[in-house]
Amino acid sequence: SKAFAQKLSGDMLKRYASLAKKHKLYLSLGGIQEKVDDGPDKIANSHVIVDPEGQILCNYRKIHLFDVDVPNGRSFRESSFTVAGKELVVVKNDEVGNLGVSICYDVRFPEMYAKLRERGAQLLLIPATFAMKTGMAHWEILLRSRAIENQCYVLAAAQSGKHNAKRYKELKKGPPRESYGNSCIIDPWGTVIARASNDSPCLVIAKIDLARVGRMRLAMPVSEHRRPDIYHATSAAEKV
């Protein structure tokens, strides 16, 4: 990851910006390995939104870093080379809707998405690289949960396939890491309205109806019924 890291002013983002401008598209780019000023051994795992004029609308840096010891498996220490972000990001946009921006492992933290919804998000963007085991067990369930809880569309682009297969073979390190894929678009009711295959890269398209988001929130005003005054209060048992 560090070998590919660039500043947002680098050639990679310039090429994406040119594509956005040429085709008059918004681009959601994540995660990007971003060079930061925290030392040569650190990068940020970033999610950048580019508008149809080629301008960067936001840069979200991943808050929740993946530091995990898999039982009888590999250890992952994202924090060993990645600086954690410190801010939530919602892009307010009249054309495509308000975008709640996140990355991969963030999806396991529902408090984050409740706050994005509170700040106006209508669509939750969750680009990810899930392993096969956790992908098969949790990927769709987590995405649908975030959609239902927050009455938002979820757009989740997911990497698929084997990583560095040729290098693993040359080093005789066993089978390469494989990602689950299954990119999904999910509506505010929790229905998967589009899904990518896991066999090869493909394009997935679905219609987004922002008016439906408003109608669902009126019919079932979940956000108005939340009780943060109780959730964050000290309980009687804790006081004792």
Side-chain angles (χ1 to χ4, degrees):
S1 293
K2 289 187 287 185
F4 293 102
Q6 294 185 15
K7 293 278 191 180
L8 296 188
S9 57
D11 290 339
M12 181 177 64
L13 255 296
K14 287 179 180 177
R15 290 199 296 271
Y16 280 123
S18 295
L19 282 172
K21 191 172 183 178
K22 177 180 178 181
H23 297 288
K24 297 300 178 185
L25 293 172
Y26 286 88
L27 296 182
S28 163
L29 307 171
I32 285 176
Q33 288 73 47
E34 179 195 358
K35 273 190 177 179
V36 293
D37 297 325
D38 294 66
D41 295 326
K42 294 286 186 178
I43 63 172
N45 189 347
S46 299
H47 184 170
V48 177
I49 306 295
V50 180
D51 74 10
E53 297 302 317
Q55 300 299 310
I56 293 176
L57 293 182
C58 80
N59 177 29
Y60 163 75
R61 291 177 174 174
K62 187 172 174 228
I63 291 171
H64 304 100
L65 301 185
F66 191 66
D67 286 1
V68 173
D69 294 312
V70 180
N72 300 317
R74 296 171 178 164
S75 292
F76 298 89
R77 287 288 179 274
E78 189 176 12
S79 64
S80 68
F81 59 90
T82 305
V83 177
K86 297 179 180 179
E87 296 180 342
L88 299 179
V89 174
V90 174
V91 177
K92 301 289 183 72
N93 189 287
D94 292 335
E95 188 173 11
V96 296
N98 298 336
L99 310 175
V101 188
S102 64
I103 298 174
C104 200
Y105 188 50
D106 287 333
V107 76
R108 293 186 180 273
F109 300 89
E111 306 93 333
M112 172 178 175
Y113 294 90
K115 187 60 70 173
L116 293 174
R117 156 74 196 271
E118 183 182 308
R119 295 186 182 185
Q122 298 165 300
L123 300 92
L124 304 174
L125 307 182
I126 313 175
T129 305
F130 261 53
M132 291 297 291
K133 185 175 182 178
T134 53
M136 287 188 286
H138 298 159
W139 173 242
E140 183 180 318
I141 294 170
L142 287 167
L143 296 176
R144 293 180 68 193
S145 296
R146 299 299 84 84
I148 294 165
E149 292 163 351
N150 299 291
Q151 299 169 308
C152 288
Y153 281 92
V154 165
L155 282 67
Q159 189 171 3
S160 66
K162 296 178 180 179
H163 299 249
N164 300 314
K166 182 179 178 181
R167 179 168 170 266
Y168 271 82
K169 184 176 181 180
E170 291 172 350
L171 297 176
K172 298 180 180 179
K173 294 180 65 175
R177 180 166 64 92
E178 188 173 0
S179 290
Y180 179 63
N182 283 273
S183 300
C184 290
I185 302 174
I186 300 171
D187 73 11
W189 190 249
T191 302
V192 178
I193 57 176
R195 184 197 299 272
S197 71
N198 197 34
D199 300 328
S200 60
C202 63
L203 182 64
V204 175
I205 298 174
K207 184 177 180 180
I208 303 299
D209 181 3
L210 294 179
R212 187 174 182 221
V213 174
R215 291 194 300 271
M216 288 191 63
R217 292 177 178 183
L218 281 173
M220 190 181 295
V222 174
S223 65
E224 296 177 20
H225 299 155
R226 286 198 169 102
R227 293 296 305 275
D229 57 316
I230 294 177
Y231 307 152
H232 303 303
T234 304
S235 71
E238 288 172 329
K239 290 177 182 176
V240 174

